[in-house]
Each structure stands twice: as C-alpha cells, then as structure tokens.
Amino acid sequence: MSELYIRVAEDENEEPMEIPSEDDGTVLLSSVAAQFPGACGLRYRNPESQCMRGVRLLEGVLHAPENDWGNLVYVVNYPKDNKRKMEEIDAASAVKIKRGFQKTSDLIVLGLPWKTTEQDLKDYFTTFGEVIMVQVKRDAKTGNSKGFGFVRFTDYETQTKVIAQRHMIDGRWCDCKLPNSKACPDEPMRSRKIFVGRCTEDMTTDELRQYFMQYGEVTDVFIPKPFRAFAFVTFADDQVAQALCGEDLIIKGVSVHISNAEPKHNNSRQMMDRGRFGAGGFSQGYGSNRGGSLWSLLSLIVFYQL
DNA sequence: GTTGAGCGTT
C-alpha cells in the first residue's frame, strides 16, 4: 500500500503528477498542496455520468471514491473561482489584475497659468493618452481662470503616468493629483484616531498624551470645549489605534472607554487630516450611549474638527 | 487690470 500513487493534474488535459497516498489508502490534502500550492481539494470525472465529482475531504484527508482511487486522473481544486495556480497570484500580479479593472477618475491640475484654456489642456494631455474631459475652473463673474482645472483620461495607465510627474504647461510647473473628493476611494479607512469616552473634566490634553504614549506615538489630542466628557487621540500608527478600540482603560482612576472615531460627514478641508492617503477627518457617534440622551443631542449639534 | 496654495457653481 505504501507505494500507491494517484494521478493528479492541474487540468484534465494537463500532464498528471503522481501523488503518494497514505498507508490507509487516503491521500493527504497537504500532499496535493505540496505539488499544487493553494489546492483545496480534488475532483474527477465520473466515467458513468461524465460529470465532475468532488472527492470527499475530511479534516485534510482525501478519501478515495468507492474506496479505490482507480486509474482516474484527479483534478486540483482551487479556492473559489480562482482557477489559476496560487503561486501565480503573487502580489505583483494581483496588483496588475486590480489595475486592469481600475477605473479612471478626474485629476485635479494645480498651478495652471491664468491664460491656459481647456483646448491648451487637451492638447497637452493628449500627448500622454486619450483624454475624456478637461476643465479649467473660472470665476463665474469675470471668467478668469482660478489657476486649476480637471482632466480625465480613458486609460488608468495614462492616469498613473500623469500623476507620477510634474507638468510644464504654458510655462508653469503644474501638478496632477487625485482630488480630495476622490482620495483613496477603495482603501478601507483604518483610522489612526480613537474616541475616548467617559473622560472627566480634570483630564488635560497633556495628561492624555502622556497616558496614551505608552501605546505608541501620539500625534494629536483633542478635547472639545466646553467639556463634553470625551476626547480624540490620534496615533501615528493606525494599528495602535485599532488595537485599543473596545478597551476600557483607567486614566487617573477613571475608567474611560475607547472606540473608533467615526468619519465626519461634512466637507471640511480637514478631511485631509495628516494621513498619508488623504483619509481622516473624524468625529464620533455616541459610542455606548444610547439615543434620547443629552449625548445624542450634543453630538448631533456640533461636529468638531479633528 | 492684482494672485500662486488649493479642491470641482450650473
């Protein structure tokens, strides 16, 4: 029994590879995965029905159909609809795939000369790739350029290239960036800021800073005035902030509750915060306080910056 | 009739 092998292939038409079975006639999924990284199971074509059939898998052990592997060629299963070999799904190709589907977005063009027209912009940017749209923002009354505009390309590759460099347009260096309104559209917002509930009035920003320093670099402490019994603490590292969420910490003998600082829903320019990706203005819902209280009212009335 | 870091009237 110890010399029994079963034939396994990436695909029905691929050349099979022999995978060793165990003494009891089963085959370990790990044995399959050793040759086909990322494999999560096996299937085979049932000679009678001509349908594909799954091989029974229990706790990492593959069991022969009808207690006999026979002379069939078994085909490797990969997770979900990923038919590719897992080893091909490295970070680089994942990025490539993602970029293939990446949609373009408007880019803001900063630093335009006053005289630059939309035709000028189109002429310039067309040298990089097909242009869908150009705009020069102007004063409604005077019609004077505000010195910035927008451009959109057909291809994401073009957009990437354009963002990556500075642009000499009509004698001035201009920058193309993702507008704040579009910043990090698909990045999950991992806040570096926490909400500190149940603060007492005697807690100062310095004391909070001193206290939270033990967890990581603190970049900001904000205590709303007048006193509202909560504060915001921002860390340099979002992981530190996230790790603290849900904790009850004792500061000056008082139990404070840490939760996530929720994004503000205003259009403040503070949305840029000091984050790397333009994420970040936050205020806070009312944590564990339930509605109907003074808290809800206060929280609804005022939205503090930072 | 000016300006020079920013963030898009319809």
Side-chain angles (χ1 to χ4, degrees), chain A residues 216-229:
Chain A
E217 184 189 345
V218 174
T219 58
D220 190 53
V221 177
F222 181 82
I223 301 178
K225 303 286 189 314
F227 175 65
R228 291 214 285 157

Side-chain angles (χ1 to χ4, degrees), chain A residues 39-40 71 85 217 248 272 299:
Chain A
C40 65
N71 203 29
K85 284 190 260 184
E217 184 189 345
D248 288 306
M272 277 307 284
S299 299

Side-chain angles (χ1 to χ4, degrees), chain A residues 86-140:
Chain A
M86 287 301 284
E87 60 197 346
E88 290 179 8
I89 308 293
D90 54 13
S93 61
V95 168
K96 206 176 283 181
I97 289 166
K98 186 181 177 187
R99 289 176 78 196
F101 295 128
Q102 192 86 11
K103 290 190 300 183
T104 63
S105 55
D106 295 354
L107 301 181
I108 189 166
V109 189
L110 273 349
L112 290 175
W114 311 118
K115 63 170 189 167
T116 298
T117 66
E118 297 187 341
Q119 188 61 52
D120 294 333
L121 273 192
K122 180 150 190 179
D123 290 345
Y124 173 78
F125 283 116
T126 299
T127 64
F128 291 87
E130 188 182 352
V131 172
I132 299 176
M133 181 274 318
V134 287
Q135 285 180 333
V136 171
K137 290 303 171 188
R138 301 175 179 281
D139 183 276

Side-chain angles (χ1 to χ4, degrees), chain A residues 188-241:
Chain A
M189 228 171 5
R190 284 178 305 173
S191 177
R192 296 180 293 114
K193 184 183 298 189
I194 56 171
F195 174 86
V196 186
R198 302 198 300 257
C199 287
T200 51
E201 197 159 11
D202 63 318
M203 293 178 187
T204 67
T205 55
D206 276 346
E207 285 170 339
L208 291 183
R209 181 181 290 272
Q210 285 295 324
Y211 176 83
F212 283 103
M213 267 174 43
Q214 67 181 299
Y215 300 107
E217 184 189 345
V218 174
T219 58
D220 190 53
V221 177
F222 181 82
I223 301 178
K225 303 286 189 314
F227 175 65
R228 291 214 285 157
F230 66 81
F232 293 109
V233 174
T234 307
F235 291 94
D237 185 348
D238 55 40
Q239 291 189 338
V240 174

